[in-house]
Amino acid sequence: MALIGDKEYFKGIGEIKFEGKDSDNPFAYKYYNPDQVVAGKTMREHFKFAVAYWHTFCGQGADPFGPGTQNFPWDEPSDAIDAAKAKADAAFEFITKLGVDYYCFHDFDLIQEGATFTESEKRISAIVDILKGKQAESGVKLLWGTANCFSNPRYMNGASTNPDFNVLARAGGQIKLALDATIALNGENYVFWGGREGYMSLLNTDLKRELDHMGRFLGMARDYARSQGFKGNFFIEPKPMEPMKHQYDFDSATVVGFLNQYGLQDDFKLNLEFNHATLASHTMQHEMEVAAAHGMLGSLDANRGDYQNGWDTDQFPNNITEITEAMITFLQAGGLQGGGVNFDAKIRRNSTDMDDVFHAHIGGIDIFARGLITADKILTSSSYESLRKKRYSSFDTGKGGDFENGKLDFKDLYEIAKENGELDLQSGKQELFENIINQYI
Ligand code: XLS
Ligand code: NI
Ligand code: NI
């Protein structure tokens, strides 16, 4: 195992390889075989798995009731640039051992924010130089970059939706630097998650004005990035709540409407997250179907929520039914538009061994592989698609066909209704559909 940095952080763990489902080796893939072709593409190409810098190399397990429990050796250096370099060494060691091709970051995951804007700008440019070298050495690529415009207290009332123009301008300055960093690192996409873009109370909020500001701001960011040669996609990541009581990017349907309203629909797509779907009282498959219906299924943040509470717990995915259903939509949509599958997930606070983060990612990667293989079998070998198609067969020919082709007017419907009289009931056959999913899992 060739090491990318000077020091080995994840000792005793080598490259994770595919060994198949009968292997008892916890450090091997049981289903993810990167070069195996499923539905015309290798699994590697389908998924473009990415490791999230913030959870895996920054989050130490702190929660509202106590501090972090995971002490990372790469946090030891006191100088910001030395610490960022050590973290990058650990990150690239982890990503290459895991055998995935991509990573994702927020600006200040990479390096601690400086005391001033100018100092932060210097720090970002220093870490970008380091990461350029790491990417070149390892072949690991940047799936997307983003800016953290939600943690710093200055953003407590929002970033682009802040009622104070100077905060909006500060967010613009910060996002310009994050876009520059993403472009310099050949990032394939850029994400906007509006962590504080919403309200805590409508009483002190001019909702219409805030939405107009956000629409204009995103258009300006796009125009800037395009002027710098950025060819990738912009993604909005919907989430209904947490931290705000209400977030403007509530769910897929809301964001699609917003993008169309503000003329952003040609450059922006959606980055959908499982746990955010749960918080919006949707399934992930629903969120993906809505995005796909508008040609906006961009990228996925893989994780899972807790079905017994209402928090963004960001657990690693392990629900095979949920993933299989999502993969059916994934395959039917022809995959993702420019994005990949990013593990926006964290190990539990009481998972404190250095190898726990390997088990977490191995499990997450394997459940996607298994879900994809299962979904492909459902679509190619079962009666699933023909049953679903049959429900709509009355639109294939005759008057139904005329309706779809715009050949009927409303009075024609009246004539047809009168002629038909009472109708036979057509069963939805939901239980049969559910059984097919279960049979193939
Ligand atoms: C938080 C979001 C965040 C985005 C990136 O809930 O999921 O992690 O993915 O800012
Ligand atoms: Ni996310
Ligand atoms: Ni989230």
Side-chain angles (χ1 to χ4, degrees):
M1 169 73 222
L3 269 183
I4 303 296
D6 324 324
K7 195 168 160 187
E8 187 173 17
Y9 287 98
F10 300 93
K11 289 202 184 71
I13 299 173
E15 270 176 72
I16 309 300
K17 302 229 169 73
F18 172 72
E19 290 185 7
K21 77 177 168 43
D22 296 325
S23 165
D24 285 326
N25 177 4
F27 293 100
Y29 294 117
K30 314 295 184 297
Y31 293 92
Y32 179 61
N33 183 0
D35 301 317
Q36 184 182 329
V37 174
V38 180
K41 273 193 226 170
T42 64
M43 291 198 197
R44 183 190 289 280
E45 291 165 331
H46 272 296
F47 291 125
K48 293 167 74 178
F49 284 122
V51 173
Y53 226 85
W54 52 103
H55 285 308
T56 302
F57 312 113
C58 307
Q60 298 169 340
D63 73 10
F65 303 96
T69 51
Q70 295 140 1
N71 301 310
F72 298 141
W74 51 87
D75 286 333
E76 274 158 27
S78 54
D79 174 73
I81 295 185
D82 291 345
K85 193 179 169 305
K87 198 197 282 185
D89 288 341
F92 278 72
E93 180 192 330
F94 178 79
I95 298 165
T96 38
K97 282 183 170 179
L98 197 63
V100 304
D101 297 328
Y102 289 91
Y103 71 114
C104 298
F105 63 71
H106 300 87
D107 44 5
F108 299 125
D109 302 336
L110 300 177
I111 192 158
Q112 205 195 344
E113 184 168 8
T116 62
F117 185 82
T118 317
E119 172 59 22
S120 293
E121 183 168 8
K122 268 194 220 143
R123 288 186 181 185
I124 300 261
S125 102
I127 187 66
V128 164
D129 285 343
I130 293 167
L131 290 172
K132 261 190 203 163
K134 297 244 152 226
Q135 289 186 190
E137 252 181 312
S138 63
V140 170
K141 294 172 277 188
L142 176 60
L143 186 65
W144 50 260
T146 189
N148 179 336
C149 290
F150 44 87
S151 294
N152 191 296
R154 80 173 77 88
Y155 297 123
M156 66 182 183
N157 290 312
S160 71
T161 61
N162 200 295
D164 178 354
F165 167 71
N166 289 316
V167 178
L168 178 149
R170 177 65 186 255
Q174 187 183 330
I175 290 172
K176 176 204 175 282
L177 299 180
L179 284 165
D180 291 341
T182 302
I183 295 168
L185 294 168
N186 288 318
E188 297 183 12
N189 308 280
Y190 186 87
V191 164
F192 291 90
W193 172 59
R196 306 267 173 195
E197 312 292 31
Y199 59 78
M200 296 306 291
S201 169
L202 265 183
L203 295 176
N204 63 5
T205 301
D206 185 337
L207 179 142
K208 167 81 166 79
R209 218 165 163 184
E210 292 196 0
L211 284 170
D212 286 350
H213 292 171
M214 184 160 75
R216 181 181 298 277
F217 183 95
L218 291 171
M220 290 163 71
R222 170 202 56 200
D223 294 345
Y224 170 73
R226 293 289 185 236
S227 78
Q228 300 303 299
F230 180 64
K231 300 256 180 325
N233 298 290
F234 301 92
F235 295 142
I236 303 269
E237 184 175 323
K239 182 173 179 178
M241 63 192 78
E242 200 209 89
M244 302 309 264
K245 169 185 166 56
H246 174 87
Q247 289 183 219
Y248 293 136
D249 300 328
F250 193 93
D251 62 359
S252 280
T254 311
V255 174
V256 168
F258 172 88
L259 293 174
N260 284 318
Q261 165 85 8
Y262 290 97
L264 302 166
Q265 68 281 358
D266 296 334
D267 301 275
F268 283 74
K269 300 189 184 332
L270 272 55
N271 178 39
L272 299 172
E273 179 167 319
F274 285 71
N275 204 157
H276 298 179
T278 309
L279 292 176
S281 296
H282 297 311
T283 61
M284 182 63 163
Q285 190 184 19
H286 166 90
E287 288 294 83
M288 291 170 66
E289 283 280 332
V290 173
H294 295 89
M296 290 187 183
L297 183 59
S299 202
L300 304 181
D301 269 8
N303 60 21
R304 84 177 197 275
D306 182 307
Y307 308 108
Q308 280 79 47
N309 70 26
W311 307 319
D312 197 14
T313 56
D314 288 347
Q315 296 167 86
F316 274 82
N318 81 344
N319 181 333
I320 186 63
T321 306
E322 183 176 45
I323 304 292
T324 302
E325 290 173 356
M327 287 301 104
I328 289 176
T329 299
F330 177 99
L331 286 173
Q332 286 175 327
L336 304 173
Q337 301 205 22
V341 176
N342 167 50
F343 287 100
D344 193 353
K346 60 187 175 202
I347 52 175
R348 298 303 87 191
R349 188 169 185 263
N350 57 352
S351 298
T352 48
D353 291 341
M354 289 295 277
D355 65 9
D356 287 324
V357 78
F358 274 93
H359 297 308
H361 283 84
I362 290 168
I365 287 171
D366 261 346
I367 199 102
F368 268 85
R370 192 176 163 203
L372 182 78
I373 294 166
T374 311
D376 178 51
K377 282 201 191 118
I378 291 170
L379 294 176
T380 55
S381 319
S382 81
S383 54
Y384 172 82
E385 278 211 298
S386 61
L387 278 171
R388 200 167 72 124
K389 197 163 180 297
K390 201 172 137 215
R391 291 192 73 210
Y392 299 88
S393 57
S394 62
F395 289 96
D396 292 343
T397 53
K399 293 290 177 201
D402 291 345
F403 165 81
E404 278 201 350
N405 295 321
K407 289 187 188 146
L408 300 186
D409 65 25
F410 213 59
K411 245 182 80 213
D412 294 326
L413 300 184
Y414 164 82
E415 297 297 346
I416 295 165
K418 210 158 77 167
E419 196 186 306
N420 279 345
E422 259 338 294
L423 302 173
D424 294 335
L425 299 180
Q426 305 289 337
S427 171
K429 309 222 77 66
Q430 181 175 329
E431 295 77 9
L432 175 59
F433 282 92
E434 288 169 350
N435 290 355
I436 293 172
I437 304 294
N438 202 33
Q439 180 191 346
Y440 280 81
I441 286 173

